[in-house]
Amino acid sequence: LLNLAQGKFGHFTEKDVKWLSGVAVDYGLVSVHKDSPLKNLDDLMKALRENPKALSFGGAGSVGGQDWMQTAMLAKKAGISPADLRFVALEGGGEVLTSLLGQHIQVGVGNISEVSSYLESGDIRVLAVFANRRLDGKFSKLPTAKEQGYDIEWPVIRGFYMGPKVSDEAYGWWKNAFDKMMANQKFDAVRENQDLLPFQLTGEELKAYVYKQTEEMRQLSQEYKLSQ
């Protein structure tokens, strides 16, 4: 959705496919090493305001990507320009966590599905999850940015879409299949095994959600001068 919002697929937009099913959601987060002096999101924001160049953020991908966007949103809430941040572009979530554990970066930005084993070992501290409310299960102890006074959300949905010329009959068959699958408790176990969280929208409801999310990302990308 972010790539669509930034025009990275040429003239194609979110309106050029048939959105079928959202089956799970991941959420962004910001974390630090267990020995970091930063204990909560307020500590991070204060440090950013005092000297944004003193902290190095690590995230997967480059400027304009998922993790950079989350970092930029943090900067905005701190009242500073994203251009003033030190952002280290790394290969993926694994490399971000390796760099954080080695203290080569001070702050890691990523997704909740990447950090489960590190939470269990106690090697990292999650300062905030970018969800609209506290998550359930093993992630229930992690504070959200919202509850700490910072209105930041970054959901990453996992799902499926179909080509624009797929027949209504075929589309309806797949929609019903996904509705049936997500009503089965066996699917809950599959989703949980991947450290993903419940998200169940199909058909028109998913289409409306996608259009809304993509437009919000488009506006944010334009604000940061990232749209093509």
Side-chain angles (χ1 to χ4, degrees), residues 14-215:
E14 66 275 15
K15 297 181 180 179
D16 289 310
V17 298
K18 290 185 176 181
W19 296 97
L20 180 64
S21 176
V23 298
V25 65
D26 204 354
Y27 287 99
L29 58 77
V30 60
S31 61
V32 294
H33 189 276
K34 65 178 181 179
D35 297 328
S36 171
L38 304 174
K39 304 298 183 184
N40 52 49
L41 196 52
D42 261 338
D43 289 347
L44 175 59
M45 292 303 196
K46 289 174 184 175
L48 279 175
R49 294 184 187 110
E50 289 172 4
N51 184 4
K53 295 289 188 185
L55 292 175
S56 59
F57 288 76
S62 56
V63 171
Q66 296 270 357
D67 292 353
W68 185 90
M69 291 291 285
Q70 296 180 68
T71 308
M73 292 169 77
L74 284 168
K76 183 179 179 181
K77 292 297 182 183
I80 63 175
S81 168
D84 293 332
L85 296 176
R86 291 173 58 202
F87 182 81
V88 182
L90 298 166
E91 191 67 30
E95 194 170 329
V96 173
L97 288 162
T98 299
S99 298
L100 188 63
L101 293 174
Q103 300 189 64
H104 305 299
I105 57 174
Q106 281 78 55
V107 184
V109 183
N111 295 328
I112 196 76
S113 62
E114 300 167 339
V115 303
S116 180
S117 62
Y118 298 95
L119 290 176
E120 292 168 7
S121 66
D123 291 326
I124 67 169
R125 179 187 306 119
V126 174
L127 300 184
V129 175
F130 301 143
N132 60 354
R133 62 173 181 81
R134 283 248 178 164
L135 305 180
D136 297 325
K138 68 173 78 175
F139 304 120
S140 62
K141 294 182 180 179
L142 303 180
T144 66
K146 276 196 168 185
E147 71 186 66
Q148 297 177 76
Y150 300 93
D151 189 8
I152 303 175
E153 287 185 48
W154 196 261
V156 182
I157 62 168
R158 312 295 188 187
F160 300 83
Y161 57 90
M162 302 183 81
K165 295 181 181 180
V166 169
S167 71
D168 290 345
E169 181 182 7
Y171 178 87
W173 188 94
W174 279 104
K175 179 187 180 303
N176 290 335
F178 273 103
D179 285 333
K180 183 177 179 180
M181 178 192 77
M182 289 190 288
N184 190 318
Q185 290 184 342
K186 291 180 180 178
F187 177 70
D188 293 341
V190 171
R191 183 175 52 205
E192 186 176 334
N193 190 50
Q194 301 298 319
D195 286 330
L196 294 170
L197 296 145
F199 182 96
Q200 297 181 194
L201 291 180
T202 58
E204 288 298 315
E205 288 184 333
L206 176 63
K207 175 182 172 181
Y209 176 88
V210 166
Y211 283 13
K212 180 177 181 291
Q213 287 293 111
T214 308
E215 184 55 33

